[in-house]
Amino acid sequence: MTISSTVSFAQATMPAATDVASQELGITFWFYVLLLIAAVFAFAVVNKTLKVLELTQELNGKKIKNTYNNVNGIFFIVFLLLFLAYVYDQFNTLGRMGLPESASEHGAITDNLFNITAIITGIVFIITHILLFYFSFKYKGKETRKAFFYSHNDKLELYWTIIPAIVLAVMVLSGWKAWTNITAPAPKEALTLDVTGKQFAWIVRYPGNDNALGSKAFKLVNDVNETGVDFNDKNAKDDLLVNEIYLPVNRPVKFNFNARDVIHSAYMPHFRAQMNCVPGMPTTFWFKPTITTEQMRLKTNDPKFDYLLLCAKVCGSAHYNMQIKIVVVNDTEYATWLATKKPFYTEEMAKQIQEAAASVAKAKEEKLALNTHE
Amino acid sequence: MSDHTTHHEEHHKETFISKYVFSMDHKMIAKQYLITGIIMAVIGMVLSILFRIQLGWPDESFPFLEKLLGKWAQGGRIDPAFYMSMVTIHGTIMVFFVLTAGLSGTFANFLIPLQVGARDMASPFMNMLSYWFFFAASIVMLSSMFVETGPFSGGWTAYPPLSALGDASPGSKTGMDLWIISMALFVVSSLLGGLNYIATILNMRTKGMSMTRLPLTIWALFFTAVLGVLSFPVLFSGFILLIFDRNFGTSFYLSDIFVNGVGALPNEGGSAILYQHLFWFLGHPEVYIILLPAMGMVSEILSINSRKPIFGYMAMIGSLFAIAILAFLVWAHHMFVTGLNPFLGSVFVLLTLLIAVPSAIKVFNWLTTLWRGNIRFTPAMLFAIGFVSLFISGGLTGIWLGNSALDIHLHDTYFVIAHFHIVMGVASMFGMFAGIYHWFPKMYGKQLNNTLGYIHFWVTIAGAYLIFWPMHYEGLAGMPRRYYDFSIWESFKQFGELNKFISLVSMIVFMVQILFLFNFFYSIFKGRKLTNQNPWDATTLEWTAPINPGHGNWVGEIPEVHRWPYDYGKDGVDFIAQTTPVGADESQH
């Protein structure tokens, strides 16, 4: 797919332009402008009223109170309460839409680390915010109050150096354990796939029946042989190209990543997997899927649910639509699917490749010839 | 006193040009930085509103967009390539032009001579040059938005090969050439500025102003300048190699590339990842170049308005120092999923999470500074407290991202957007606002309107959290950054309403910033005139200078310093200026 075709595809999926929509935005926008003006006006009225009050108090010979200080101090305690309520509400509503259930073996380790981190940072967040806003409220300035001269306390400062250090050591260690687990070399029995990113699609090659991928070389890349597979390699003869990635459940799968033009990033959120695809530098990531697509559809109660591999590294204008579906199935379904696939190397293809290579060589010659003329 | 004034004026026959344009007075240069920074900030903000419209209403068409953007929004819908450009230019402008130059440029220039007790910078000429390089950089960056093929569109980090190959994306053609020229000018500007700041702080302190009597703003600006001087050249070298790859056919970052419609490129043996190392070797210290000045100003403002000394002055300096050192040792945490050696990844996790220790010290010290204070809620104080809140919230999510195992899932998602906007974007902006509200009287001899300041603060902090808090959840759900349209994704459709809400809140926050700008510019001309030389009852030197100091800052002798800058509430006295000699019966702090 070229740039233009992807973009036009994306735009074709959108409804046609309507003026109604912009009118709607206009209304909401001006509604908020009016709301803001009203708020500013209300604030100004309160402001003037307070000033008048202060002046009358002054006229009556009473001591001037610092009204603004009190108002802002009270605002801080109100803000604290609203903020904590908001955080709790978001946790309840968006929390369910956030992290999807993990569908890979190491995903459980990642999620465990997520939980530990969320709890620790959550506690620190709540305590520090209560202190920050409560202090702001409690110690709001008064004529009668004297600030307490307190310049340092070495012991106290030592405590809050050591305690965070210990807590962080826990996080570093549990993170290190998870990370070494995830980045360990793939098991030998893993299914190996070759995934190449290009603007703006993924090219996925299966090893075929021999479970061995044919080698590839960048010099062999042309418009027909998109990843430069070396067809002189015996292993390449039965390799498959697919439009959807089928994975057998509970069998480790190892991805060999590469990119053809710019950096892409293969991101599979449900499997807690991500690896950059870099031109000229092979990278790899492996995991073991544990839940089939069918099971996940039941679990999420969403008959349209699909696992995805999407591009997470900005790669051009259609970056937002560079995806490929992943289907996790059981062993028999996988075998049936595999049987329907024919190797992409055929006699005809060999011919096409030769033609393409010849035309590239010719173009090069012409270019060279042109250079010598100059 | 009048003798000195006339003597002073004789030496400086100032024309309009020498006073307002090619000025060598650090105060005027600071104002130039501030105003340019504000203009750039408005442009950056407008860009963000435009792409928030696309994210909030991806299926709808807005004729006004076509009027505004012409061919980039045909039929009232933003073009995907131009969407990417807006994201890129928004990031570049905000990170470099607003929060680096606008923040450091303004306050380092303004505060360093005034707070250390110097007549001007070590080299006023270099200082002027620094601003004009920045000005040129801004002009080139803005002009890149008007080229035929569009501005650069590969993200503010400009990773090659995308940024190196004109054939890979239209934005990588002339737009990228201008982007890189602008950035090169910018690096020159920040080096000229940084060297000047360091030289002034080390050499030009007034009598009695030992390093341990410096206000924390100066310490923070000092470390900021050191970070910039040591890391910007590395970025510069990275850019030079990129220019070579783009224009002279070298292969530093390029290898094995086949571009759609062009074919195979001859480049071999380069490493695209090398650029990322060079970029983030600046890019991470850059985060602290943005944050440290805000931290310094917030420390100062919290102490002044709590009428208490900053708690743990030495620990504050120590933690700034620790952060500055660690800033150089954590760059690869932006690269956990590039295929980095896993062991190296673990080392960077350790070093990254270590930064949380000095950060925790700072937070607890700020909290203790508030404790048992007598807090005066000026708008500056509100923004300083808001800064602490944002720094905590954003800093804590840094612990998530800094852990490589979690970063696999969170890398390049909305979680990252939420994290760095809160901790570095909005927080530093709050630091900048606090600084403006606090030092405006010194800058212009006028006062800002407090009521507008209060409205500004409360709407902005609520808006900032309403915008960025939900993005954490979007990121956890796997929503990647820099996507033009989520409505085509089955799994992200659920966030449609939320995205609309975020866009609306961002518009409200935008309008409140306009309110602030009104307050700012109105007050410069029509604000209440300052009658008190020291409106905040502060101890530091800048408030001993006249209300509208001339070039040279103090008439007569530069005052001598006798104590640290935080004698607030000592022995029952509200404040004791740094210039007051230590009394015989005074207690030790």
Side-chain angles (χ1 to χ4, degrees), chain B residues 53-179:
Chain B
I53 290 179
Q54 163 61 28
L55 287 172
W57 295 270
D59 309 330
E60 293 169 16
S61 143
F62 304 105
F64 78 90
L65 285 178
E66 186 166 7
K67 274 177 210 146
L68 189 68
L69 302 173
K71 71 164 177 173
W72 300 117
Q74 273 164 9
R77 311 175 70 160
I78 292 170
D79 177 71
F82 195 69
Y83 170 86
M84 293 308 308
S85 298
M86 289 199 294
V87 173
T88 305
I89 303 296
H90 165 78
T92 313
I93 284 183
M94 287 305 196
V95 170
F96 291 110
F97 291 80
V98 180
L99 291 174
T100 305
L103 180 60
S104 283
T106 305
F107 291 103
N109 272 312
F110 192 76
L111 293 178
I112 290 174
L114 276 170
Q115 285 197 335
V116 304
R119 297 248 179 239
D120 204 318
M121 283 287 178
S123 166
F125 181 76
M126 227 160 90
N127 208 20
M128 176 187 80
L129 219 53
S130 155
Y131 171 74
W132 286 103
F133 268 102
F134 168 57
F135 183 80
S138 310
I139 296 295
V140 175
M141 184 57 71
L142 294 181
S143 66
S144 85
M145 297 211 272
F146 299 97
V147 298
E148 179 68 27
T149 45
F152 178 53
S153 59
W156 74 280
T157 50
Y159 284 178
L162 187 60
S163 61
L165 303 174
D167 295 316
S169 115
S172 303
K173 293 188 167 79
T174 324
M176 181 61 193
D177 283 324
L178 291 174
W179 190 92

Side-chain angles (χ1 to χ4, degrees), chain A residues 14 69 141 151 199 267 311, chain B residues 77 260 312 375 377 409 412 483:
Chain A
M14 302 170 191
N69 242 22
S151 66
Q199 288 176 323
Y267 179 33
C311 182
Chain B
R77 311 175 70 160
N260 286 336
I375 302 172
F377 291 113
H409 183 69
D412 268 332
Y483 265 29

